[in-house]
Amino acid sequence: MLENTTKTKLLAGETVLGCFIKHSEPAFAEFVAMQGWDFLVFDAEHGTLQPRDVEGLCRAAELREVTPIARVTTNQPHIILRFLDTGIHGVHVPWVNTAAAVEQAVQSVKYQPRGRRGLAGSRASDWGMYESIGEYTKRANRETIVVIHIETMDAVNAIDDYVGIDGVDVLFIGPTDLSHSLGHPGDPAHPEVAAAMDRVADAVVDSDKALGIYAGSPATAEQWLDRGARYLATGVDGFIEQGMQAYLSRLRN
Ligand code: 3PY
Ligand code: MG
């Protein structure tokens, strides 16, 4: 397992920028990685990505020295394990709605003594070829990044407990699900949603965790940078759509 440069930057107080990808083609991920992102998030919550896909995507990101992360399908130890064993450097865990669920997510990612991740030779441990399995577990506990999604009002209400949980690196606002959970689907600017996001931001920027958020546009990302966010993610599809639409509309109109 290589150094997690995204985690190193966050620990040094820096800001990191990343991009979600739902597509399974490693060459495409490699091309995206070459644009200069700090991290890529391979999205196995939405879409069709399986651990087998993520293993190839992970190789492509590592080749270009970009941190490979997976958004796992759900907060279950055996699901998280299958993604981590591909060699990804950490996980986004969706729908984490209680402090006990945050603790479960951390325990699924970390080996003993902090957690209970299942241990075996896999790509993550270089199949045990370069170091003892004991050394690997220590390194994996150091290098893996845990990103917890805040996307329901239950999670917002529990945020003061979340910030105290050891092993969490980033508390990440999911504006789409949060707006949906508050009854304003797709409207993160609605005052009730904005107030919930503010509450999360206040709690997280005063803690030792990094504040993260999905920000589709550079303008939204800038607003969140001003608000103290240091882990910003966007999605690749928007860039493709905007670029193609600009080209086509100019030539067709
Ligand atoms: C959301 O907005 O719900 C997200 O999960 C963004 O990644
Ligand atoms: Mg979400």
Side-chain angles (χ1 to χ4, degrees):
M1 189 182 181
L2 302 173
E3 182 193 345
N4 183 337
T5 50
T6 291
K7 184 163 177 173
T8 305
K9 285 183 186 175
L10 283 176
L11 289 172
E14 294 175 34
T15 297
V16 291
L17 303 176
C19 191
F20 276 82
I21 298 184
K22 293 192 181 82
H23 309 283
S24 60
E25 177 53 57
F28 179 66
E30 187 180 5
F31 175 82
V32 177
M34 288 171 70
Q35 306 307 312
W37 302 102
D38 295 300
F39 62 94
L40 298 183
V41 186
F42 304 121
D43 190 356
E45 181 198 14
H46 295 286
T48 61
L49 293 185
Q50 299 293 330
R52 181 190 294 265
D53 302 309
V54 169
E55 188 166 295
L57 295 165
C58 179
R59 288 192 182 98
E62 285 178 341
L63 184 66
R64 300 298 174 174
E65 299 182 343
V66 171
T67 305
I69 297 174
R71 170 154 68 178
V72 295
T73 315
T74 186
N75 185 16
Q76 292 292 328
H78 57 287
I79 302 285
I80 292 177
L81 176 62
R82 293 198 70 216
F83 285 98
L84 283 171
D85 275 358
T86 68
I88 51 162
H89 297 192
V91 288
H92 274 234
V93 188
W95 287 88
V96 191
N97 297 328
T98 62
V102 178
E103 177 62 23
Q104 175 174 309
V106 173
Q107 291 207 15
S108 302
V109 174
K110 305 296 179 182
Y111 293 109
Q112 294 275 2
R114 178 66 186 90
R116 299 174 184 191
R117 174 175 165 186
L119 180 61
S122 65
R123 182 170 185 277
S125 61
D126 298 315
W127 293 280
M129 286 183 62
Y130 296 149
E131 63 191 338
S132 74
I133 207 88
E135 280 160 11
Y136 157 70
T137 59
K138 288 195 198 100
R139 200 148 58 82
N141 278 2
R142 236 180 10 250
E143 297 296 338
T144 42
I145 187 169
V146 177
V147 181
I148 298 292
H149 276 237
I150 311 295
E151 42 197 2
T152 64
M153 206 53 208
D154 287 341
V156 174
N157 287 332
I159 195 68
D160 293 328
D161 296 331
Y162 286 23
V163 297
I165 297 175
D166 176 48
V168 173
D169 299 287
V170 181
L171 290 160
F172 184 91
I173 300 171
T176 307
D177 275 312
L178 185 59
S179 66
H180 185 209
S181 118
L182 283 166
H184 309 292
D187 186 9
H190 188 283
E192 280 178 31
V193 187
M197 294 200 285
D198 267 345
R199 180 149 174 221
V200 173
D202 287 343
V204 179
V205 294
D206 284 341
S207 76
D208 66 349
K209 314 301 183 204
L211 175 64
I213 189 161
Y214 185 95
S217 72
T220 310
E222 277 167 359
Q223 283 167 14
W224 281 98
L225 281 175
D226 291 344
R227 194 72 182 76
R230 295 197 292 116
Y231 182 101
L232 291 155
T234 184
V236 75
D237 293 354
F239 294 108
I240 298 173
E241 181 186 349
Q242 283 156 28
M244 289 185 182
Q245 290 305 318
Y247 183 99
L248 289 169
S249 62
R250 179 161 162 183
L251 293 180
R252 287 203 170 126
N253 294 329

